[in-house]
Amino acid sequence: MKKTDDDNYIHQLINEGEHIRQDFKFAISDARKIAHSLSAFANTKGGKLLIGVKDNGKIAGIHSDEEAYMIEAAAQIYCRPKPDIHIFIHKVDKKDILEVQISENNTKPVYAIDEHNKGWAYMRIGDENILANPVQLEIWKKGLTKKDTFIKYSEQEKSLLNLLEKHKELTLNQCCRMVKLKRKHVCTLLADFIRFGLVKQIFKKHTFYFCPQEES
């Protein structure tokens, strides 16, 4: 951990507000929960956590040095694989603020481990940490193989693309029901379509939707 007295730097970050690469936390009381944030940033574009800052941007300061140790525990014990993080302590308005820098992971996903030792992968969308859907997990999985992917344009692929063109937006459950294919197969097809730029996924009203790319 490094200590600084750069007031302007922290105030500039706070003025940016919360966004895809930055989140505020008033305090940390649970290492498992903060692992969700580390997972989300590592699986997306990386980013910063400012600990000791309220959601409205007001500086509260951290309550104890234990919060820094809980962040380290979250990365080492409750994330798999361990994300690359760096922790800085800033003295701002006579209060200590923790800045946690999380790098985007080269190998995805980074899982947050729950009390049952089960891993959950999160992603950062806007200013929220969202549980990754099965299609996103399949995209990451295909990224790990580093093999060329070919789409066999059979009746199944054609049927799914035609449905998306017709309805414009469909959930994963709707896709499975309409094409009458197993969920795992539909996830694989959608992941391939997204990787080839034929389909995009959007998140709204707490739900992932799949829709055709305009240029496709």
Side-chain angles (χ1 to χ4, degrees), residues 3-14:
K3 294 186 177 182
T4 74
D5 294 310
D6 192 348
D7 285 32
N8 289 334
Y9 171 69
I10 294 298
H11 283 298
Q12 287 175 0
L13 293 180
I14 291 174

Side-chain angles (χ1 to χ4, degrees), residues 111-173:
Y111 292 98
I113 309 303
D114 67 14
E115 62 273 18
H116 304 295
N117 204 36
K118 184 175 180 179
W120 302 89
Y122 291 82
M123 53 197 297
R124 189 80 178 162
I125 299 179
D127 60 357
E128 295 184 275
N129 300 327
I130 305 298
L131 189 65
N133 64 353
V135 176
Q136 184 62 51
L137 292 175
E138 187 67 21
I139 292 171
W140 286 329
K141 178 182 176 182
K142 288 179 177 293
L144 284 174
T145 63
K146 297 182 180 179
K147 294 180 180 178
D148 291 333
T149 300
F150 299 93
I151 294 180
K152 182 180 179 182
Y153 197 64
S154 67
E155 287 301 318
Q156 293 176 341
E157 285 77 18
K158 182 178 179 180
S159 175
L160 181 53
L161 283 174
N162 286 343
L163 278 171
L164 291 170
E165 289 286 351
K166 178 181 178 181
H167 295 278
K168 303 306 180 185
E169 292 181 0
L170 290 175
T171 66
L172 175 57
N173 287 339

Side-chain angles (χ1 to χ4, degrees), residues 9-212:
Y9 171 69
I10 294 298
H11 283 298
Q12 287 175 0
L13 293 180
I14 291 174
N15 288 337
E16 292 178 10
E18 295 179 305
H19 50 74
I20 192 170
R21 299 197 65 188
Q22 183 165 277
D23 201 5
F24 301 156
K25 296 291 182 185
F26 171 61
I28 297 176
S29 58
D30 190 330
R32 287 189 191 275
K33 288 185 178 179
I34 205 65
H36 298 179
S37 295
L38 301 184
S39 167
F41 282 113
N43 286 332
T44 312
K45 298 181 178 180
K48 296 181 177 71
L49 281 173
L50 296 184
I51 315 299
V53 178
K54 295 183 178 180
D55 289 342
N56 61 7
K58 184 176 180 180
I59 295 174
I62 60 174
H63 296 86
S64 72
D65 292 339
E66 289 298 317
E67 293 185 74
Y69 295 115
M70 279 194 281
I71 294 167
E72 292 175 346
Q76 293 180 7
I77 302 172
Y78 300 120
C79 286
R80 194 177 297 155
K82 179 183 178 295
D84 180 27
I85 69 168
H86 298 277
I87 302 175
F88 302 87
I89 301 178
H90 302 278
K91 182 71 74 173
V92 182
D93 300 341
K94 298 181 179 180
K95 298 176 181 178
D96 286 338
I97 300 297
L98 288 183
E99 176 197 4
V100 185
Q101 296 181 358
I102 307 104
S103 301
E104 180 178 358
N105 222 56
N106 292 327
T107 302
K108 301 175 184 178
V110 171
Y111 292 98
I113 309 303
D114 67 14
E115 62 273 18
H116 304 295
N117 204 36
K118 184 175 180 179
W120 302 89
Y122 291 82
M123 53 197 297
R124 189 80 178 162
I125 299 179
D127 60 357
E128 295 184 275
N129 300 327
I130 305 298
L131 189 65
N133 64 353
V135 176
Q136 184 62 51
L137 292 175
E138 187 67 21
I139 292 171
W140 286 329
K141 178 182 176 182
K142 288 179 177 293
L144 284 174
T145 63
K146 297 182 180 179
K147 294 180 180 178
D148 291 333
T149 300
F150 299 93
I151 294 180
K152 182 180 179 182
Y153 197 64
S154 67
E155 287 301 318
Q156 293 176 341
E157 285 77 18
K158 182 178 179 180
S159 175
L160 181 53
L161 283 174
N162 286 343
L163 278 171
L164 291 170
E165 289 286 351
K166 178 181 178 181
H167 295 278
K168 303 306 180 185
E169 292 181 0
L170 290 175
T171 66
L172 175 57
N173 287 339
Q174 288 172 332
C175 289
C176 294
R177 187 172 64 251
M178 290 181 179
V179 296
K180 298 179 180 179
L181 294 174
K182 290 184 178 180
R183 187 181 181 87
K184 184 177 181 180
H185 190 182
V186 174
C187 288
T188 299
L189 291 179
L190 288 172
D192 286 341
F193 292 161
I194 290 170
R195 294 177 75 217
F196 275 84
L198 301 174
V199 170
K200 63 182 177 181
Q201 61 177 338
I202 58 175
F203 184 78
K204 62 180 183 179
K205 298 180 180 179
H206 305 288
T207 304
F208 284 97
Y209 291 87
F210 301 91
C211 53

